[in-house]
């Protein structure tokens, strides 16, 4: 019998605890992956500190985690794309409301993964690099390609140029790094923002122009950069991104659509051990002011906006577009980089809690990885 171990969250807001977990065999359209590397996302510490507010469907004890890379150990009876022993990366979607399953969390040795949310990885790609991609990639893909989001042309290893320019506000984030690369692969020019020390980084990913989001003139500078161009819309990532994108897209010619990745409440400042509802309540006036101002500005300016949900692609064609049709070829051809760079903080599930705390305190163009 296969033995499994997981970094469990036993109850809401608890620290993770490494303990035995059941091994769950795959259903017809699933695979089981033995994880060799897992990555940490803001979602993980947000769920740890405010899971009952954000993803109220989660029942504890639970296993969090979205990003993994490892070897396939078992495949469901309808799976033809993978075999045991194959090296893969995958987006584990256990915390999505349609799945809501601890067996599908990444923070364990063996994770059950939906077949269409996994991609083979090239032999030369370390597991620690491959694991940086999944949630950032999925979220960027939902924003760019879902029909009720930016609905861009699909990515390809031989992109067909569109002559349209996408604004990615927050290009050095994980989501932004993937969005830049996906948009370029879909034939769009990309204008982005980052801190100056990450300018070369986002250019390497394919951005044509980059601006410092902390500069006082950033909005006018970007509006000037769009002069003579047709916009494909914007992806707003990071605090203050939505407000800035509303001003920029208003001044540009083209698609008046903004896809919003960042929730307008700061979870970073919320303390795990004090009254969560009170802390949330304190942010309520800011949240209400944000929603009213955003609704007014977008309506008056004829701009459509929509919040993105990074695992919604499990139920639409975007998962196939990305994980089946594009990524395996693009990784093999060296046309999609595993970005941001992995920062391995240790080996073993007991390092996951430190990874969550480190991610919460902030990273810059890097992804915290735990090797297994
Ligand atoms: N809706 C969803 O389903 C979904 C899914 C995934 C992530 N998200 C959200 O998307 C955001 C990014 O997540 P991530 O994992 O990609 O983040 P991340 O990699 O942890 O982000 C780190 C980067 O954020 C940049 N940054 C910090 N403040 C910023 C600001 N005000 N504007 C623009 N960039 C800023 C920093 O850039 P510099 O170092 O260059 O300054 C840094 O490189 C988070 O708010 C996260 O909660 C949403």
């Amino acid at each position: 019998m296969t033995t499994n171990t997981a970094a469990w969250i036993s109850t809401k807001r608890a620290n993770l605890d490494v303990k035995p977990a059941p091994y769950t065999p795959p259903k017809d359209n699933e695979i089981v992956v033995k994880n060799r590397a897992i990555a940490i996302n803001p979602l993980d510490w947000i769920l740890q500190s405010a899971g009952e507010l954000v993803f109220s469907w989660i029942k504890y004890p639970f296993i969090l985690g979205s990003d993994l890379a490892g070897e396939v150990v078992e495949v469901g009876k309808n799976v033809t794309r993978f075999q045991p022993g194959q090296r893969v990366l995958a987006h584990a979607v256990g915390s999505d409301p349609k799945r809501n399953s601890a067996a599908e969390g990444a923070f364990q040795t063996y994770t059950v993964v939906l077949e269409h949310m996994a991609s083979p990885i090239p032999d030369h790609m370390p597991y620690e690099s491959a694991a940086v991609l999944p949630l950032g990639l999925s979220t960027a893909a939902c924003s760019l390609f879902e029909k009720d989001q930016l609905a861009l042309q699909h990515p390809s290893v031989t992109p067909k140029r569109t002559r349209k320019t996408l604004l990615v506000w927050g290009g050095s984030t994980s989501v932004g790094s993937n969005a830049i690369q996906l948009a370029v692969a879909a034939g769009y020019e990309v204008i982005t923002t980052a801190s100056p020390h990450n300018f070369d980084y986002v250019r390497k990913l394919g951005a044509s122009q980059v601006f410092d989001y902390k500069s006082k003139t950033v909005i006018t500078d970007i509006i000037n950069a769009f002069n003579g161009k047709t916009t494909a819309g914007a992806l707003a990532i990071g605090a203050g991104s939505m407000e800035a994108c509303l001003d920029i897209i208003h001044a540009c010619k083209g698609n008046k659509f903004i896809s919003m990745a960042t929730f307008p409440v700061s979870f970073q400042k919320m303390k795990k051990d004090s009254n969560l509802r009170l802390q949330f309540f304190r942010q309520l006036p800011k949240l209400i002011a944000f929603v009213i101002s955003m609704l007014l500005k977008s309506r008056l300016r004829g701009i459509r906006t929509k919040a993105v949900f990074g695992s919604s692609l499990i139920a639409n064609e975007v998962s196939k577009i990305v994980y089946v049709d594009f990524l395996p070829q693009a990784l093999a051809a060296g046309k999609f980089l595993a970005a941001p760079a992995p920062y391995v903080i240790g080996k073993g599930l007991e390092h996951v809690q430190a990874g969550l705390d480190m991610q919460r305190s902030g990273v810059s163009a890097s992804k915290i990885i735990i090797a297994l």
Side-chain angles (χ1 to χ4, degrees), residues 32-66:
V32 176
V33 178
K34 181 171 190 185
N35 299 324
R36 298 292 186 183
I38 52 181
I40 311 293
N41 288 284
L43 177 68
D44 303 322
W45 55 258
I46 292 173
L47 290 185
Q48 182 173 46
S49 43
E52 72 265 39
L53 286 183
V54 189
F55 283 15
S56 54
W57 53 86
I58 288 180
K59 299 274 181 289
Y60 300 89
F62 199 73
I63 302 168
L64 301 171
S66 301

Side-chain angles (χ1 to χ4, degrees), residues 42 139 172-175 195 198 213 237 239 261-262 308-310 359 363-365:
T139 309
S172 58
T173 62
S174 267
V175 176
S195 287
N198 285 324
Y213 62 92
I237 313 161
T262 297
V308 66
F309 192 67
Q359 214 303 329
V363 297
S364 181

Side-chain angles (χ1 to χ4, degrees), residues 255-292:
N255 187 18
K256 305 262 180 205
F257 190 97
I258 305 169
S259 180
M260 181 176 88
T262 297
F263 192 67
V265 164
S266 171
F267 291 100
Q268 213 155 4
K269 290 180 199 135
M270 289 189 177
K271 293 197 179 65
K272 265 191 284 185
D273 40 7
S274 55
N275 188 322
L276 183 66
R277 283 176 204 282
L278 185 67
Q279 293 183 67
F280 186 76
F281 191 70
R282 285 204 189 109
Q283 294 200 52
L284 214 54
K286 208 172 128 205
L287 178 64
I288 293 168
F290 171 87
V291 172
I292 293 172

Side-chain angles (χ1 to χ4, degrees), residues 6-17 19-22 57-64 94 100-105 108:
W8 288 94
I9 178 163
S10 56
T11 184
K12 60 186 183 186
R13 281 177 268 158
N15 276 343
L16 301 188
D17 199 5
K19 287 192 299 199
W57 53 86
I58 288 180
K59 299 274 181 289
Y60 300 89
F62 199 73
I63 302 168
L64 301 171
N100 198 8
S101 147
E104 296 177 59
Q108 58 191 317

